[in-house]
């Protein structure tokens, strides 16, 4: 835990056997059939595409909507939407208009991935850093996202200050590139240095809204970044 950062919430499984199923006709009714997504707001109610700056609840409950077998693309219909605060979309963003509009209608934030490559954050090429950051900001704009989820799982040796500090700098750049009110979350290991990831966690927390602790075989906590 980062000193001075309050625990916001337990990160629990978003899907629930008791959760109400969202039928396709209910979610599809929210779509604008003439909109091209990404690029245009996919919802009939264009206000749903506005940046959601206020949290839904005091505590956060995340869901990660990730690629996999075909049936996974519909798992969101069984999420517990009464409790969720944020959905992180991964890998198949272009097919997510229906999920996007439904989530936003429930005041659930939608965030998109932003994971810099080691060649970017570990190097000194300023043009590459600027181009990557601009691409993140453009993705947020095109997908009408409420922010980003950063998940860089490369190993960084304890003495590699160039990569360590470069990674922290990329989080800072993302924060500065996004609109005011957009959220920045960062996924970190369940203990410092695990799997060789000697990151500047405290430094990352200075520029992120929260850290998501990747402790999948135990209770996972979301810590507020200070």
């Amino acid at each position: 835990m980062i000193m001075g950062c309050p625990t916001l919430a337990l990160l629990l499984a978003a899907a629930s056997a008791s959760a109400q199923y969202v039928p396709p006709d209910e979610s599809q009714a929210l779509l604008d059939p003439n909109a091209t997504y990404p690029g245009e707001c996919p919802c009939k109610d264009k206000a749903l595409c506005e940046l959601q700056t206020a949290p839904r609840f005091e505590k956060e409950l995340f869901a990660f909507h990730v690629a996999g077998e075909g049936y996974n693309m519909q798992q969101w219909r069984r999420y517990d939407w009464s409790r969720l605060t944020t959905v992180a979309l991964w890998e198949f963003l272009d097919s997510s208009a229906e999920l996007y509009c439904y989530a936003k209608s429930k005041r659930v934030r939608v965030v998109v991935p932003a994971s810099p490559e080691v060649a970017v954050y570990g190097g000194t090429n300023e043009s590459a850093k600027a181009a990557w950051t601009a691409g993140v900001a453009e993705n947020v704009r095109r997908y009408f996202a409420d922010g980003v989820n950063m998940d860089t799982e490369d190993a960084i040796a304890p003495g590699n200050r160039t990569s360590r500090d470069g990674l922290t700098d990329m989080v800072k750049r993302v924060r500065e590139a996004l609109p005011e009110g957009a959220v920045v979350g960062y996924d970190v290991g369940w203990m410092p240095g695990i799997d060789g990831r000697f990151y500047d966690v405290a430094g990352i927390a200075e520029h992120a809204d929260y850290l998501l602790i990747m402790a999948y075989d135990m209770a996972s906590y979301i810590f507020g970044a200070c």
Side-chain angles (χ1 to χ4, degrees):
M1 179 175 181
I2 299 173
M3 190 63 65
C5 294
T7 300
L8 296 183
L10 281 172
L11 179 61
L12 303 174
S16 171
S18 62
Q20 183 177 359
Y21 177 78
V22 179
D25 57 348
E26 180 179 346
S27 52
Q28 290 170 6
L30 300 172
L31 296 176
D32 178 353
N34 298 315
T36 300
Y37 183 75
E40 298 178 342
C41 175
C43 314
K44 286 182 180 178
D45 181 359
K46 301 307 177 183
L48 295 181
C49 290
E50 295 177 359
L51 180 66
Q52 184 173 322
T53 58
R56 184 185 186 193
F57 302 125
E58 181 181 356
K59 296 183 177 181
E60 292 279 0
L61 181 63
F62 256 67
F64 287 87
H65 189 52
V66 300
E69 299 297 333
Y71 71 87
N72 284 344
M73 297 183 69
Q74 299 299 314
Q75 284 292 86
W76 64 270
R77 297 188 183 280
R78 296 193 180 278
Y79 287 173
D80 189 344
W81 292 100
S82 68
R83 301 168 61 208
L84 278 178
T85 61
T86 304
V87 173
L89 300 180
W90 282 83
E91 295 191 48
F92 46 81
L93 297 176
D94 291 353
S95 62
S96 302
E98 194 173 344
L99 165 57
Y100 175 89
C101 293
Y102 188 82
K104 296 287 281 190
S105 75
K106 298 297 182 181
R107 293 193 63 244
V108 174
R109 283 175 169 145
V110 176
V111 299
V112 293
S115 301
E117 299 177 350
V118 65
V120 175
Y121 69 78
T124 59
N125 188 327
E126 181 61 29
S127 296
K129 295 174 187 289
W132 182 86
T133 304
V136 171
E138 177 63 10
N139 263 348
V140 169
R141 186 195 68 78
R142 292 177 66 240
Y143 290 101
F144 299 89
D146 298 298
V148 299
N149 176 251
M150 303 185 71
D151 181 20
T152 305
E153 302 187 18
D154 305 312
I156 296 179
N160 189 346
R161 296 180 62 91
T162 299
S163 291
R164 187 199 69 178
D165 295 345
L167 183 58
T168 302
D169 179 60
M170 296 310 297
V171 183
K172 180 176 183 290
R173 289 171 184 252
V174 168
R175 159 59 65 212
E176 294 173 346
L178 296 187
E180 183 177 355
V183 296
V184 176
Y186 201 102
D187 305 344
V188 296
W190 60 272
M191 65 175 291
I194 190 67
D195 297 325
R197 302 173 200 164
F198 288 90
Y199 298 173
D200 175 18
V201 178
I204 288 172
E206 291 182 9
H207 308 296
D209 293 285
Y210 40 74
L211 303 180
L212 293 95
I213 311 302
M214 295 185 288
Y216 304 124
D217 58 348
M218 62 186 75
S220 300
Y221 294 90
I222 302 176
F223 292 105
C226 298

